[in-house]
């Protein structure tokens, strides 16, 4: 079980550190800023979790390995070739950010639930779910604030809701399926909810774009038809003025008014 927890924690650390580093790259930060964002994303939620549970000093300061991994991963992402490769491919950047953030969120959500279970004498459902969500979303929240962005938990792809769903699933399955199965199912649910919500949002944006394009084409056709009708009306008015002009150069104003009125009503 210790090996399983180590692997899950390592996966979450690498994924969140990479996601934080990529945010730093997007903000054109130097290597220090990139590493700080990567480190904060990877260990920030765990520090808040430990403070809530009364674990002092937090595990991030007692065991420096996760922090060292986060700094190393962030530095790798800052390498010139790697950095240019990502920044020149916005679509790839967005996909990597989504997947890395989703994997990190899923891993740390269930890690938070697991630690809350083993460090609380009588854990309640609210405590377990709350600690799980804080562990999963806390690092990303701190990263976004430090980067000057609106936090993902408020605007991006059902972020906190995915963590909440995974934490609930983990807690419910814990006594039924066992610790490892509950954590696997909870983390998988987090990733699935985030990815599916992102795909749904992308599809909705594509539909909106298509609708806007069709609407513009329709309005353009309507404008063209209206302009054509206006030209026809002007021609009819001009022709009417010509017809009602007598041979001696005088005009019948009554016929002119009737002609204009008929064209306008039409």
């Amino acid at each position: 079980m210790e090996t399983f927890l180590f692997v899950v924690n390592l996966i979450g650390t690498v994924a969140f550190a990479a996601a934080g580093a990529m945010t730093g790259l997007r903000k054109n930060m130097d290597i220090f800023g990139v590493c700080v964002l990567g480190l904060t994303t990877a260990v920030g939620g765990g520090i808040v979790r430990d403070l809530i549970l009364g674990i002092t000093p937090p595990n991030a300061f007692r065991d420096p390995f996760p922090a060292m991994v986060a700094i190393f991963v962030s530095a790798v992402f800052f390498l010139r070739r790697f950095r240019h490769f990502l920044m020149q491919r916005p679509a790839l950047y967005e996909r990597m950010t989504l997947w890395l953030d989703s994997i990190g969120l899923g891993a740390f959500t269930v890690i938070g639930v697991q630690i809350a279970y083993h460090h609380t004498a009588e854990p309640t459902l609210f405590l377990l779910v709350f600690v799980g969500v804080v562990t999963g979303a806390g690092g990303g929240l701190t990263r976004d604030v430090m980067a000057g962005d609106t936090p993902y938990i408020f605007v991006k792809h059902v972020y906190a809701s995915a963590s909440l769903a995974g934490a609930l699933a983990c807690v419910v399955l814990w006594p039924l399926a066992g610790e490892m199965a509950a954590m696997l199912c909870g983390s998988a649910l987090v990733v699935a909810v985030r990815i599916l919500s992102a795909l749904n949002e992308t599809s909705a944006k594509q539909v909106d774009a298509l609708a806007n394009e069709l609407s513009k084409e329709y309005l353009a056709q309507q404008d063209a038809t209206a302009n054509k009708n206006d030209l026809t009306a002007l021609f009819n008015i001009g022709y009417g003025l010509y017809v009602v002009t007598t041979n001696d150069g005088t005009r019948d104003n009554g016929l002119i008014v009737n002609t204009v009125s008929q064209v306008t009503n039409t």
Side-chain angles (χ1 to χ4, degrees):
M1 190 63 191
E2 289 185 1
T3 302
F4 172 75
L5 293 175
F6 175 81
V7 171
V8 173
N9 194 43
L10 181 62
I11 291 174
T13 299
V14 172
F16 261 175
M22 291 176 68
T23 301
L25 295 179
R26 178 171 55 84
K27 291 292 184 175
N28 295 319
M29 295 183 178
D30 59 11
I31 187 171
F32 180 77
V34 169
C35 289
V36 167
L37 280 189
L39 176 63
T40 301
T41 310
V43 304
I47 292 175
V48 177
R49 171 204 66 212
D50 291 347
L51 293 177
I52 292 175
L53 296 176
I55 303 174
T56 53
N59 289 325
F61 299 107
R62 291 189 291 177
D63 180 12
F65 179 74
M68 294 173 63
V69 170
I71 293 174
F72 174 77
V73 171
S74 301
V76 169
F77 271 73
F78 189 78
L79 293 176
R80 182 177 180 179
R81 181 173 297 181
F82 203 92
R83 182 172 71 248
H84 289 175
F85 179 81
L86 285 177
M87 293 298 99
Q88 293 173 1
R89 294 167 175 80
L92 176 63
Y93 174 91
E94 291 295 331
R95 286 196 298 269
M96 283 190 63
T97 301
L98 172 64
W99 277 99
L100 290 170
D101 220 23
S102 301
I103 293 171
L105 183 66
F108 279 148
T109 295
V110 296
I111 286 290
V113 173
Q114 190 270 342
I115 292 179
Y117 253 118
H118 290 281
H119 286 81
T120 308
E122 297 180 357
T124 62
L125 174 65
F126 178 76
L127 174 66
L128 295 172
V129 173
F130 181 79
V131 171
V133 174
V134 167
T135 308
L141 173 63
T142 308
R143 171 201 63 203
D144 294 337
V145 171
M146 294 179 67
D149 294 332
T150 303
Y152 267 27
I153 62 174
F154 301 132
V155 297
K156 278 286 184 180
H157 307 321
V158 199
Y159 194 87
S161 300
S163 179
L164 177 62
L168 277 171
C170 184
V171 173
V172 171
L173 292 174
W174 196 279
L176 301 176
E179 184 173 341
M180 183 180 298
M183 294 178 68
L184 288 174
C185 292
S187 59
L189 180 61
V190 173
V191 175
V193 170
R194 281 221 62 206
I195 299 301
L196 290 176
S197 65
L199 294 176
N200 181 66
E201 181 174 314
T202 301
S203 300
K205 288 181 178 178
Q206 291 175 347
V207 172
D208 290 341
L210 179 60
N212 290 334
E213 184 177 350
L214 293 176
S215 177
K216 290 179 181 178
E217 292 180 0
Y218 174 77
L219 292 176
Q221 293 177 356
Q222 291 294 101
D223 291 340
T225 303
N227 291 335
K228 183 178 179 180
N229 291 337
D230 291 342
L231 291 174
T232 303
L234 290 174
F235 174 79
N236 290 336
I237 292 173
Y239 181 73
L241 293 176
Y242 171 78
V243 169
V244 299
T245 301
T246 59
N247 293 331
D248 58 358
T250 61
R251 295 177 178 176
D252 188 335
N253 291 331
L255 290 176
I256 295 174
V257 172
N258 290 334
T259 303
V260 174
S261 177
Q262 291 175 3
V263 173
T264 304
N265 291 334
T266 302

